[in-house]
């Protein structure tokens, strides 16, 4: 089992397209901004200081719905983190 920690930035109006990881889960911590998050069929708005858990295999998407940059810390945990 491995892990990967990345800071992700999304410009206002930008998004990370729907995706999933077959062998890893993700934890997102919002550092700055406002986002609309979709996990499976659930949609929520998150702000700086909020956290989100994405289970293994679940589809996820994040969109910057704020006026400024969206910054997240993404921690990916699981098997073959760098390849899958």
């Amino acid at each position: 089992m491995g892990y990967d920690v990345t800071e992700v930035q999304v410009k206002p109006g930008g998004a990370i397209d729907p995706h999933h990881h077959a062998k890893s889960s993700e934890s997102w911590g919002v550092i700055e901004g406002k986002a609309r998050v979709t996990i499976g069929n659930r949609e929520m708005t998150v702000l700086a200081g909020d956290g989100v858990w994405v289970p293994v295999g679940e589809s996820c998407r994040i969109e910057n719905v704020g006026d400024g940059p969206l910054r997240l810390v993404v921690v990916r945990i699981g098997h073959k983190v760098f390849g899958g």
Side-chain angles (χ1 to χ4, degrees):
M1 183 160 326
Y3 69 93
D4 178 48
V5 179
T6 306
E7 182 178 328
V8 175
Q9 296 188 28
V10 182
K11 295 178 182 177
I16 297 174
D17 290 333
H19 66 282
H20 75 280
H21 304 282
K23 296 184 179 183
S24 62
S25 58
E26 291 183 331
S27 178
W28 301 342
V30 182
I31 301 169
E32 177 183 5
K34 179 179 179 181
R36 180 178 304 121
V37 172
T38 305
I39 301 171
N41 61 2
R42 297 169 291 145
E43 189 174 285
M44 64 195 89
T45 299
V46 294
L47 304 171
D50 290 342
V52 177
W53 178 255
V54 183
V56 173
E58 191 74 63
S59 174
C60 57
R61 179 181 190 273
I62 191 161
E63 176 185 3
N64 183 346
V65 294
D67 296 327
L70 172 65
R71 292 177 51 223
L72 313 164
V73 171
V74 177
V75 180
R76 221 166 121 199
I77 304 166
H79 296 284
K80 299 185 181 182
V81 167
F82 298 102

